[in-house]
């Protein structure tokens, strides 16, 4: 009830502020992500819901800083309770302090990898790969701190991003149990620190390949040390008004060290999309996850969407049809098959079908590549 | 030490103004006015649809070192230029600063919209942004670019002014020549796929009677094409003009229904042309040839 009131209050504020938009140039954005999911494996939830509702405002604060405030309300499939709305992002951004550099202060999604740098409603597919849920949560990692990004003075595009955040939030979750655990444990021993080095190869003004190397480190309040190393690339070829070909790839390894024991988990996905015209496109995704040990981190394993363990390897292949009504409204139908879940010590497969409707109103900021 | 200082000063005095433009037509104008004092790159090659472009990282690198950015404005590049400027981290080219040049500033804007919403499709509230096809409007663009260059380098203002006058003379001569050539198109009726020829038609007093798109930026449905075919028949349309970035399938379908031929033209100076004058001559020639073939 409380969160509904907050959203209504904000919506009222938008109405009033709209009259002043022309003078103050505030960009207001509201978006919703509605998902229906059906699973063949009975241990997994089948559900239909407004998975995400987001309200965001962005504007110049003064001659140096821009501000972004995002309030979001999420609910994952199978989640019984109705979680409150939360501050998703609250940060200031400046590209005026250092030439060819940007500084971000506040709460934001960490600028690493591919998926983590985009809001979920802007992803090319409906659900995160299994490894992503395990490593970074159903959406991505957001935290409070500072991020500095610098475009190197070279002819070629080379961008270096460095960040330091307090480490209190890592796996982004809307599960109450998880949040309670996090606050009980208190601050991380070693705050989250991360880096991304990325470059770009231009084939033409509408065709190119962006690639990056990523690192994230953190030691939690119990002394468990996590480090993540990853590579990502995105290839895009735009023909006339639509993306003709999209190829997106991420590969991450998580290393967990506790009491001198070290475990390494590996995860990757490859997504290919072919556009037929402005309206119709087809996508295909292959996911892979390989845990190093049966000893999973409980804090993270219980709150992901699948809710099932993987002991050896997990393979998922999924096919999507995407109908783009306009830049602001998309429908996506996906069918996927996973092999490698474990239920009562037996390996099982799961067929999942999902239907997603994503739309937005207001001024969505221009996207990164 | 003094010699070194003088050398440094003189080196800077001769350093060219680094300019990036979104469209190649503006590169031509900057070159005409800035001459040896500018080094210009166009972000787009002219083969793209400037509405639908990504904030490509290579654009960010090029813009990060620029002294001046020249954009079309009127929301044509709204999906990518703000992000390029933001990520370039170059204070000179930020909106409001001397290095940010909106080429539409002096354009006589056609069809501005006061009240709009997304049900109207990809509309541009500031007006139709496809003015770079117009020789007349390019004179206004030249004037704006002259002002922008003079702000960045006030000492060269008189040189820029002289070059502006020469450029305007060239464009006047071109307009006169093309008007003569366009006389052959008098009495002909045109439809366009998208509202891209508004300024061009006005330059030559040509008769444009509508678009194939019912909603700008949205692919027309079969029913909409059928409805538009009635208009084409009623108005006795001679030729459909479209951009090379417009979908051929819909133009073919319309031709099938109405029998009206179409021609797809490059609406920006592609890498085939170094000179806007040659580009404009070739554009009009293509239209004249298409009309003659349609007889």
């Amino acid at each position: 009830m409380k969160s509904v009131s907050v959203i209504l209050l904000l919506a009222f504020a938008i109405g009033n502020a709209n009259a002043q938009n022309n003078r103050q140039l505030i960009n207001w954005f509201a978006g919703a992500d509605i998902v229906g999911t059906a699973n063949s494996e009975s241990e997994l939830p089948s559900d239909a819901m407004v998975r995400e509702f987001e309200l965001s405002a962005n504007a110049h604060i003064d001659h140096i800083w821009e501000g972004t405030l995002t309030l979001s309300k999420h609910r994952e499939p199978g989640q019984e309770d109705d979680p409150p709305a939360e501050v998703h992002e609250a940060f200031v951004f400046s590209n005026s302090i250092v030439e060819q550099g940007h500084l971000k202060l506040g709460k934001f999604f960490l600028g690493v990898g591919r998926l983590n740098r985009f809001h979920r409603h802007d992803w090319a597919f409906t659900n995160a790969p299994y490894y992503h849920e395990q490593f970074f949560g159903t959406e991505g990692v957001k935290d409070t701190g500072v991020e500095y990004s610098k475009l190197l003075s070279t002819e070629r595009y080379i961008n270096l991003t460095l960040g330091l955040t307090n480490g209190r939030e890592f796996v982004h979750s809307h599960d109450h149990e998880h949040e309670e655990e996090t606050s009980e444990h208190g601050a991380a021993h070693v705050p989250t620190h991360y880096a991304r080095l990325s470059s770009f190869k231009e084939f033409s003004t509408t065709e190119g390949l962006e690639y990056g190397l990523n690192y994230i480190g953190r030691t939690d309040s119990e002394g468990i040390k996590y480090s993540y190393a990853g590579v990502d690339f995105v290839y895009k070829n735009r023909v006339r008004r639509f993306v003709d070909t999209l190829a997106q790839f991420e590969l991450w390894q998580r290393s967990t060290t506790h009491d001198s024991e070290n475990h390494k988990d590996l995860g990757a996905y490859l997504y290919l999309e072919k556009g037929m015209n402005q309206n119709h496109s087809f996508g295909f995704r292959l996911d892979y996850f390989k845990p190093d040990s049966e000893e999973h981190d409980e804090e993270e394993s219980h709150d992901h969407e699948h809710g099932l363990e993987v002991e050896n390897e997990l393979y998922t292949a999924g096919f999507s049809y995407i109908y783009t009504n306009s830049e602001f409204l998309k429908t996506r139908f996906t069918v996927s098959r996973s092999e490698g879940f474990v239920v009562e010590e037996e390996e099982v497969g799961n067929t999942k079908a999902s239907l997603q409707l994503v739309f937005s109103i207001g001024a969505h900021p221009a996207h990164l590549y | 030490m003094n010699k070194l200082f003088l050398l440094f000063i003189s080196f800077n005095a001769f350093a060219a103004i680094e300019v990036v433009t979104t469209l190649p037509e503006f590169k031509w104008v900057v070159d005409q006015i800035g001459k040896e004092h500018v080094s210009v790159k166009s972000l787009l090659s002219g083969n793209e649809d400037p509405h639908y472009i990504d904030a490509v990282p290579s654009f960010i690198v090029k813009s990060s070192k620029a002294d001046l950015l020249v954009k079309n404005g009127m929301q044509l590049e709204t999906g990518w230029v703000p992000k390029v400027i933001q990520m370039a981290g170059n204070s000179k080219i930020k909106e409001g600063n001397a290095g940010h040049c909106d080429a539409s500033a002096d354009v006589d804007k056609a069809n501005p919209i006061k009240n709009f919403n997304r049900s109207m499709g990809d509309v541009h509230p500031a007006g139709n942004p496809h003015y770079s096809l117009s020789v007349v409007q390019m004179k206004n663009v030249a004037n704006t670019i002259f002002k922008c260059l003079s702000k960045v380098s006030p000492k060269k203002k008189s040189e820029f002014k002289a070059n502006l006058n020469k450029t305007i003379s060239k464009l006047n001569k071109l307009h006169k020549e093309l008007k003569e050539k366009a006389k052959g198109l008098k009495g002909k009726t045109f439809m366009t796929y998208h509202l891209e020829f508004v300024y061009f038609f006005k330059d030559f007093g040509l008769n444009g009677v509508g678009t194939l798109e019912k909603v700008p930026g949205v692919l027309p449905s079969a029913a909409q094409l059928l409805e538009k075919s009635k208009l084409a028949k009623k108005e006795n349309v001679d030729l459909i003009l479209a951009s090379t970035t417009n979908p051929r399938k819909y133009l073919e379908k319309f031709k099938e229904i109405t029998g009206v031929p179409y021609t797809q033209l490059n609406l920006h100076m592609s890498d085939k042309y170094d000179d806007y004058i040659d580009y404009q001559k070739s554009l009009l020639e293509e239209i004249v040839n298409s009309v003659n073939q349609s007889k």
Side-chain angles (χ1 to χ4, degrees), chain B residues 125-180:
Chain B
N128 188 308
H130 304 289
Y131 58 81
S132 69
L133 267 186
S134 156
V135 178
V136 173
Q137 296 309 326
M138 283 299 268
K139 289 189 280 180
N140 294 331
V141 168
N143 192 45
T144 303
I145 288 176
F146 154 71
K147 287 190 259 182
C148 293
L149 282 170
S150 302
K151 261 192 206 169
V152 173
S153 185
K155 284 183 184 169
K156 311 234 165 54
K157 191 174 176 179
S158 55
E159 260 185 84
F160 295 153
K161 182 70 184 172
N163 293 337
L164 168 70
N165 293 338
K166 283 181 201 163
T167 308
I168 287 180
S169 296
K170 273 188 195 177
L171 291 170
N172 278 333
K173 192 179 160 210
L174 174 69
H175 188 215
K176 203 174 161 189
E177 196 180 315
L178 295 183
K179 267 207 295 195
E180 200 58 39

Side-chain angles (χ1 to χ4, degrees), chain B residues 102-113:
Chain B
D102 183 341
S104 73
D106 294 313
V107 164
D108 300 322
K109 298 174 180 72
N111 313 325
I113 304 165

